[in-house]
C-alpha cells in the first residue's frame, strides 16, 4: 500500500476467511458482524488499521441474510468472511454495502456489493498559474522589433541545421 498515492481511491475486496467480531475496540470495523472473531479476523483488523482502511460491510445495519457471505454445505453454518475495504479518506463515498443471498453464482459464497458515489473535482488553474500578458508591451515597437529579430535568428538556425543534415547525408 506504500506505492499507492494518497489521493487514489482504493477498494480491496475478497474472501479473507476472516471473522471480525463486533467488540474488537477498533475504528476500522463496525458493529454489524456475525459470529466470533478468529485469528484471521484479528489480522484483517490490524492490516486495515496499519493501512488506514475501513471494513465497509460491517458498518451498515442489515438483516442477517444480508450480512452473511458464505454458507456451508447443507446450509448449517453461515459466516461473514468476505469483505470490502476502502481507504478511510474515501469512506464517505460508500453509501450501502450488503450481500445478495438470492444471486446464483454457482458457489457457496454470496454476492457482496457496495454502492459508492464518487464525486471528482475538476482541476481548474488558479490565477497564479496563468501568465499575465501586458498588452501595452506587446504593442510597443521595440518588442515587435525584438520579436522579428528572434524569428529571423530561429529561421537562420533552422536553415543551418538543414544544411548540416544534407552534409551528413
Amino acid at each position: 500500500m506504500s506505492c499507492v498515492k494518497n489521493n487514489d481511491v482504493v477498494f480491496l475486496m475478497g474472501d479473507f476467511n476472516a471473522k471480525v467480531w463486533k467488540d474488537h475496540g477498533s475504528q476500522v470495523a463496525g458493529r454489524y458482524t456475525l459470529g466470533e472473531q478468529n485469528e484471521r479476523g484479528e489480522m484483517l483488523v490490524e492490516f486495515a488499521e496499519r493501512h488506514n482502511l475501513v471494513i465497509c460491510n460491517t458498518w451498515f445495519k442489515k438483516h442477517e441474510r444480508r450480512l452473511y457471505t458464505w454458507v456451508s454445505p447443507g446450509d448449517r453454518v453461515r459466516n461473514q468472511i468476505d469483505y470490502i475495504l476502502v481507504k478511510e479518506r474515501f469512506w464517505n463515498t460508500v453509501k450501502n454495502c450488503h450481500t445478495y443471498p438470492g444471486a446464483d453464482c454457482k458457489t457457496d459464497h454470496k454476492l457482496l456489493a457496495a454502492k459508492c458515489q464518487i464525486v471528482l473535482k475538476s482541476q481548474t488553474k488558479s490565477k497564479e498559474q496563468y501568465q499575465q500578458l501586458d498588452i501595452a508591451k506587446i504593442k510597443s515597437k521595440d518588442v515587435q522589433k525584438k520579436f522579428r529579430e528572434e524569428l529571423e535568428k530561429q529561421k537562420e538556425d533552422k536553415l543551418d541545421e538543414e544544411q548540416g543534415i544534407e552534409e551528413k547525408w
Side-chain angles (χ1 to χ4, degrees), residues 81-150:
I81 59 173
D82 303 338
Y83 298 98
I84 297 177
L85 288 79
V86 66
K87 281 177 96 174
E88 187 176 14
R89 178 177 178 201
F90 297 102
W91 164 233
N92 61 343
T93 65
V94 180
K95 302 301 178 193
N96 196 0
C97 188
H98 61 84
T99 61
Y100 289 93
D104 187 15
C105 301
K106 304 290 185 203
T107 178
D108 53 352
H109 290 267
K110 300 301 173 190
L111 179 65
L112 176 63
K115 183 178 182 180
C116 303
Q117 183 178 12
I118 299 175
V119 179
L120 302 174
K121 272 190 193 176
S122 63
Q123 293 183 348
T124 57
K125 290 186 177 181
S126 63
K127 289 183 179 180
E128 295 84 37
Q129 291 176 322
Y130 288 109
Q131 184 179 4
Q132 296 294 323
L133 299 176
D134 189 356
I135 303 297
K137 278 186 177 179
I138 294 173
K139 290 182 177 179
S140 74
K141 299 222 184 251
D142 293 338
V143 172
Q144 289 179 2
K145 183 179 176 185
K146 286 180 185 177
F147 182 71
R148 283 193 195 101
E149 289 172 359
E150 185 65 32

Side-chain angles (χ1 to χ4, degrees), residues 62-93:
K62 301 287 177 189
H63 189 273
E64 185 178 317
R65 73 175 177 270
R66 296 287 192 159
L67 291 177
Y68 66 84
T69 60
W70 177 80
V71 179
S72 71
D75 199 13
R76 284 177 267 183
V77 180
R78 296 175 176 184
N79 284 319
Q80 185 180 29
I81 59 173
D82 303 338
Y83 298 98
I84 297 177
L85 288 79
V86 66
K87 281 177 96 174
E88 187 176 14
R89 178 177 178 201
F90 297 102
W91 164 233
N92 61 343
T93 65

Side-chain angles (χ1 to χ4, degrees), residues 28 47-54 86-89:
V28 299
F47 175 81
E49 286 174 341
R50 190 175 31 232
H51 296 290
N52 296 323
L53 298 169
V54 174
V86 66
K87 281 177 96 174
E88 187 176 14
R89 178 177 178 201

